[in-house]
């Protein structure tokens, strides 16, 4: 149930209810904008739908006056969006509109006026601005900057001052703590309410907001005839304006990412000191993290190339890079990665391999969250290259509670191969999930018989026919006395006949391919098991057939002895096996 006293949609006027419905539509649209790339038809149709609905509402309602707080959006004085701060206490789940109030508030927007006669182009620009800033807090522009650049006539906003000193203290302004001075910055508590304050008036001897910024200008020695001076400047003004606008448009269309690498390299060329390198490493690291968060693999590669030039050994910024990667929202990256085209998948794999060991955790996280098989394949490929020299880096994820993560890590280790992966694979040889152990068997194929046989033998007690068949398939590649003894112990176990018939058949089939005279005594015992009261069983028949397939003189002698047995079941099993041998 809603919290008593909290506004609900039913309490709003019809105009405010329509506005609330549009903001819900906008919230879903912003989620689509974050998930898909701009050229995707879904993004185009969603943006058009949101724009058309807003244009209709503005025309029908005579425009909007919106006011923003950190947690609410008001249409005039009615809250049309309210953030759910405690879903459990408020009795509802989080809404798609929860991020919208702070999206405006964080960029300094306090009020926006949307006129009823706003042209369709200006409304489209307004929606495009929201789309541009909804991807996260690492973008280069904010709502205020983008709306100012758009120079809209019917979309007006009020924002906080660009420069303002804010004082924080653990006591409200005017209290005893103010006696020592206005600026008491405390980190022990989170200040709020009247504890956050600022001085907006004139301050002697200082420049800034609401203060004179020209008191120290030198006075001119002479005077000028203003009309004559203007007449001289006017012919060149229009051309200068056109040149300025053209230069600004060229700079804006190129984007800062195209200019940043050369600019930062230029700084390094002017000053190749360690302090300069630290600054450049910090710049490249933050750029790399922001590009990763947006799944912009091309930008991330640019930043990585610059980082490799400035700090190839990660001596100056290794810890900062690891911390930046740890703070990324892997789910957002994965959502974009899942929808990427094959080129995106290739760029991601190439990027993380170039980034090196710091990218292992991020790569595993994306692999664990990815829904599409092709996305998981790209991350697995990248991990094979990343950890080829040091597979021990993957050890933490072999203990992961998610079986599909463990299975994929085992797959990676199998492709890496070599003696170094054997101890790692041994940790999952008794994993409770059969699918993990099936992948383990495939991975063991890349190891030597001495390393893999003990782990394969551990799988013989499984009740999963697929797992057993895979393990026996690898075991039978060569004759191994340990494997033969293990299989003989399994078929001679008291509970063998209670196991699935497919498992029994698989074990005897493997034994027939691997065994020699050393297995004859056990098989002869199984053939004659039961004495006078022996009955026909699969175990007895399979033992006779296995002796026949071994085919050595000792094995044939055991069958011939079975023909002389007093038990009809033993004689029948031996006769059937020898008859099969005769037909072969």
């Amino acid at each position: 149930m809603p919290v008593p006293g909290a506004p609900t949609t039913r309490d709003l006027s019809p105009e405010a209810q329509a506005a609330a419905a549009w903001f819900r539509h906008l919230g879903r649209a912003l989620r689509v904008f974050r998930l898909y790339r701009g050229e995707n038809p879904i993004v185009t149709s969603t943006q058009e739908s949101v724009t058309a609905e807003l244009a209709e509402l503005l025309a029908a309602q005579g425009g909007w006056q919106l006011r923003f707080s950190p947690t609410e959006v008001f249409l005039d004085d009615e809250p049309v969006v309210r953030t759910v701060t405690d879903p459990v206490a408020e009795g509802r789940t989080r809404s798609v509109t929860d991020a919208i109030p702070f999206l405006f508030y964080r960029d300094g927007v306090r009020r926006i006026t949307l006129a009823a006669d706003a042209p369709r182009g200006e409304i489209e620009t307004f929606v495009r601005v929201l789309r541009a800033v909804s991807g996260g807090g690492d973008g280069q522009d904010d709502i205020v900057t983008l709306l100012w650049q758009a120079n809209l006539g019917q979309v007006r906003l009020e924002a906080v001052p660009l420069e303002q000193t804010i004082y924080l203290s653990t006591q409200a302004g005017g209290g005893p703590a103010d006696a020592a001075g206005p600026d008491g910055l405390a980190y022990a508590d989170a200040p709020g309410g009247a504890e956050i304050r600022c001085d907006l008036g004139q301050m002697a001897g200082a420049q800034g907001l609401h203060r004179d910024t020209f008191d120290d200008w030198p006075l001119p020695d002479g005077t000028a005839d203003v009309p004559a001076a203007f007449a001289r400047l006017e012919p060149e003004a229009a051309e200068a304006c056109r040149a300025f606008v053209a230069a600004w448009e060229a700079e804006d269309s190129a984007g800062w990412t195209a200019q940043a690498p050369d600019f930062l390299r230029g700084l390094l060329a002017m000053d190749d000191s360690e302090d300069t390198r630290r600054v450049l490493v910090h710049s490249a690291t933050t750029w790399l993290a922001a590009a990763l968060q947006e799944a912009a693999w091309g930008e991330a590669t640019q930043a990585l190339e610059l980082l490799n030039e400035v700090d190839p050994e990660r001596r100056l910024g290794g810890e900062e890079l690891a911390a930046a990667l740890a703070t990324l929202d892997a789910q957002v990256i994965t959502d974009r990665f899942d929808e990427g085209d094959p080129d995106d998948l290739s760029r991601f794999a190439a990027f993380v391999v170039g980034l090196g060991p710091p990218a292992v955790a991020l790569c595993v996280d994306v692999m664990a969250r990815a829904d599409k098989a092709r996305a998981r394949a790209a991350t697995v490929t990248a991990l094979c290259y990343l950890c080829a020299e040091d597979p021990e880096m993957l050890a933490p994820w072999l203990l992961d509670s998610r079986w599909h993560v463990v299975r994929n890590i085992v797959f990676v280790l199998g492709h890496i191969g070599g003696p170094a992966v054997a101890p790692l694979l041994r940790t999952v040889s008794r994993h409770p999930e059969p699918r993990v152990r099936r992948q383990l068997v495939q991975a063991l194929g890349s190891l030597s018989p001495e390393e893999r046989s003990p782990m394969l033998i551990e799988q013989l007690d499984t009740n999963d026919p697929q797992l057993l068949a895979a393990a026996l398939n690898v075991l039978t590649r060569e004759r191994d006395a340990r494997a033969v003894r293990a299989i003989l112990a399994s078929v001679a176990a008291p509970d063998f006949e209670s196991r699935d018939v497919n498992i029994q058949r698989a074990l005897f089939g493997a034994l027939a391919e691997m065994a020699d005279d050393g297995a004859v005594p056990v098989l002869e015992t199984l053939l004659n098991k039961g004495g006078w009261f022996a009955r026909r069983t699969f175990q007895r028949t399979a033992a006779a057939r296995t002796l026949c397939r071994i085919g050595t003189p000792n094995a044939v002698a055991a069958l011939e002895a079975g023909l002389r047995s007093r038990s009809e079941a033993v004689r029948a099993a031996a006769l059937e096996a020898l008859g099969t041998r005769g037909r072969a």
Side-chain angles (χ1 to χ4, degrees):
M1 296 178 58
V3 176
T8 63
T9 304
R10 292 190 299 271
D11 299 327
L12 303 177
S13 65
E15 293 79 7
Q17 290 183 24
W22 181 82
F23 274 105
R24 288 193 295 272
H25 190 184
L26 175 64
R28 290 189 289 270
L30 296 181
R31 179 177 295 175
V32 170
F33 298 157
R34 288 192 297 270
L35 182 59
Y36 299 99
R37 295 196 178 278
E39 62 273 12
N40 194 299
I42 297 176
V43 173
T44 304
S45 62
T46 301
Q47 180 174 308
E48 174 62 25
S49 173
V50 172
T51 302
E53 184 179 350
L54 178 56
E56 293 176 3
L57 290 174
L58 294 179
Q61 299 184 15
W64 281 358
Q65 293 277 349
L66 300 175
R67 180 165 54 88
F68 302 92
S69 76
T71 58
E72 292 177 303
V73 178
F74 295 87
L75 177 65
D76 296 327
D77 293 323
E78 297 184 88
V80 294
V81 176
R82 177 175 175 271
T83 298
V84 180
T85 55
D86 189 348
V88 177
E90 299 187 25
R92 63 189 182 103
T93 59
R94 294 195 179 277
S95 169
V96 294
T97 61
D98 283 352
I100 291 179
F102 194 68
L103 180 68
F104 289 89
Y105 193 85
R106 75 179 184 197
D107 287 349
V109 178
R110 296 298 177 263
R111 294 179 185 272
I112 288 183
T113 300
L114 300 169
D117 57 348
R120 178 60 178 265
E122 293 197 2
I123 298 175
E124 290 177 353
T125 300
F126 177 68
V127 174
R128 282 200 301 270
V129 167
L130 298 183
R131 168 185 161 187
V133 301
S134 66
D138 295 320
Q140 57 176 325
D141 290 317
D142 54 30
I143 294 177
V144 176
T145 301
L146 294 175
L147 289 179
W148 174 79
Q149 291 178 345
N151 194 26
L152 305 181
Q154 301 302 317
V155 178
R156 301 182 180 89
L157 76 158
E158 296 179 20
V160 297
L162 296 178
E163 181 179 325
Q164 179 172 314
T165 304
I166 298 178
Y167 301 103
L168 308 178
S169 68
T170 53
Q171 298 185 11
D178 294 333
D183 51 341
L185 183 60
Y187 296 97
D189 304 296
E195 297 176 353
I196 305 176
R197 63 196 191 283
C198 59
D199 297 321
L200 299 179
Q202 179 81 23
M203 292 183 66
Q207 298 181 3
L209 187 66
H210 300 297
R211 303 160 193 153
D212 294 337
T213 59
F214 48 83
D215 291 344
D216 56 346
W217 287 13
L219 295 176
D221 295 331
T223 60
D225 184 348
V226 175
F230 181 78
R232 289 193 303 270
L233 294 175
E234 186 176 16
E236 301 177 1
E239 181 60 32
C241 182
R242 284 193 296 271
F244 175 80
V245 171
W248 178 84
E249 289 178 348
E251 178 182 340
D252 184 64
S253 62
W256 67 271
T257 58
Q259 306 170 36
D262 290 339
F263 174 75
L264 295 177
R265 291 185 180 105
L267 292 179
L268 185 62
M270 290 187 293
D271 181 11
D272 193 8
S273 65
E274 183 168 308
D275 287 342
T276 300
R277 286 182 175 271
R278 288 187 184 277
V279 172
L280 297 183
V281 166
H282 174 72
S283 300
T285 299
T286 54
W287 180 17
L288 185 149
L292 273 180
Q293 189 63 75
E294 295 299 316
W297 313 122
E299 284 189 29
T301 301
Q302 280 185 289
L304 178 59
E305 290 174 354
L306 182 64
L307 189 61
N308 288 337
E309 290 179 24
V310 180
D311 187 22
E313 298 178 357
R314 306 289 187 267
R315 181 178 60 86
L316 300 178
E319 294 182 1
E320 182 180 5
L321 177 61
L325 294 176
T327 60
L328 296 176
D329 188 339
Q331 187 60 59
V332 173
I333 297 174
T334 306
D335 290 343
R336 296 287 295 272
F337 189 57
D338 263 338
E339 298 301 327
D341 54 34
D343 289 340
D344 286 334
L345 304 183
S346 299
R347 282 193 287 267
F348 171 81
F351 169 77
V352 295
V353 171
L355 187 55
V360 171
L362 174 64
C363 198
V364 174
D365 211 354
V366 172
M367 177 193 70
R369 299 169 185 267
D371 293 328
K372 304 291 180 64
R374 63 179 186 178
R376 292 194 297 271
T379 56
V380 165
T381 302
L383 286 171
C384 290
Y385 285 99
L386 275 173
C387 303
E389 300 297 327
D390 185 13
E392 188 68 30
M393 290 190 292
L394 296 171
W397 290 281
L398 290 173
L399 304 177
D400 199 287
S401 60
R402 298 165 294 183
W403 69 266
H404 61 281
V405 174
V406 181
R407 181 190 62 184
N408 290 339
I409 296 299
V410 171
F411 178 86
V412 172
L413 292 173
H415 275 267
I416 294 174
V421 307
L424 299 173
L425 294 175
R426 194 170 295 117
T427 63
V428 297
S429 62
R430 305 304 298 175
H431 197 280
E433 174 54 55
R435 284 168 287 190
V436 172
R437 293 163 70 183
R438 289 179 208 159
Q439 188 61 60
L440 168 67
V441 170
Q442 295 183 29
L444 290 176
S446 64
L447 303 184
S448 66
E450 292 75 17
E451 293 168 327
R452 71 188 180 211
S453 290
M455 286 180 271
L456 291 170
I457 289 172
E458 289 185 48
Q459 314 309 316
L460 297 181
D461 62 351
T462 183
N463 289 320
D464 179 10
Q466 293 183 21
L467 173 58
L468 180 64
L472 292 175
N473 182 54
V474 180
L475 277 173
T476 54
R477 291 180 183 178
E478 60 279 315
R479 294 181 179 272
D480 188 328
R482 293 173 298 178
V484 172
R485 289 195 296 270
I487 297 175
L488 285 173
S490 295
V491 300
D495 62 342
F496 179 75
E497 291 186 358
S498 65
R499 300 179 72 176
D500 184 86
V501 65
N502 291 322
I503 290 179
Q504 297 182 41
R505 186 175 290 111
L507 286 169
F508 272 110
L511 194 60
E513 293 187 26
M514 301 174 63
D516 53 19
D517 271 351
V520 171
V522 175
L523 293 172
E524 187 175 11
T525 300
L526 294 176
L527 173 62
N528 294 282
K529 182 179 178 181
W532 284 89
F533 303 99
R535 56 187 176 83
R536 185 178 179 86
T537 63
F538 176 83
Q539 186 183 39
R540 190 185 315 281
T541 302
R545 290 178 177 175
T546 303
L547 285 169
C548 182
R549 290 184 61 183
I550 293 174
T552 64
N554 288 336
V556 174
L559 288 174
E560 292 174 347
L563 292 175
R564 299 187 294 272
S565 173
R566 296 181 180 182
S567 169
E568 182 180 353
V570 174
R571 293 196 305 272
L575 182 62
E576 179 181 347
L578 288 172
T580 302
R581 180 170 181 265
R583 290 194 299 270

